[in-house]
Amino acid sequence: MPWPQVYDPLHNNWLSALLAALPILTLLGSLALLRVKAHLAALLGLSAALAVALLGPAMPADKALWSVGLGAAYGLFPIGWIILNIIFLYQLTQAAGTFAVMRDSLTGITR
């Protein structure tokens, strides 16, 4: 059953926009002001986003958790794909003996 998304849960554009910005402000504020490590700041932002979704427009908990899982997969898949390709490139250059040439040319760019 689809859930009808409410774009103005507080019936005030400004308050609803502030409520929607709360997860971003939590993430950036914890990184910049509180100097929290990035992975912990991301979890704080995720917690704030879940709280806003569950309490603001009253999103069903199963759909909120499902969106967390889909968001994690959407974010982690490209990172994993890049790491897989880097491992493949490293093994290829090691086997061909050209890793030292690549390392020397990359370190020669800067001091």
Side-chain angles (χ1 to χ4, degrees):
M1 172 180 247
W3 174 69
Q5 185 172 352
V6 180
Y7 292 104
D8 190 12
L10 301 178
H11 306 294
N12 183 326
N13 289 338
W14 289 101
L15 290 177
S16 296
L18 285 174
L19 183 69
L22 187 63
I24 297 169
L25 293 174
T26 302
L27 173 70
L28 296 178
S30 62
L31 281 172
L33 301 175
L34 301 177
R35 306 233 187 256
V36 175
K37 293 183 180 182
H39 64 282
L40 296 176
L43 288 175
L44 286 173
L46 174 64
S47 301
L50 273 174
V52 165
L54 294 173
L55 301 175
M59 184 177 193
D62 61 334
K63 296 202 184 315
L65 294 175
W66 183 250
S67 68
V68 167
L70 288 177
Y74 186 75
L76 292 176
F77 181 73
I79 295 169
W81 185 254
I82 291 169
I83 290 172
L84 179 71
N85 285 314
I86 288 171
I87 291 171
F88 174 72
L89 180 64
Y90 174 73
Q91 290 178 347
L92 185 68
T93 56
Q94 285 288 86
T98 58
F99 184 75
V101 175
M102 188 171 60
R103 182 183 61 222
D104 292 339
S105 55
L106 286 175
T107 57
I109 294 173
T110 60
R111 293 182 199 169

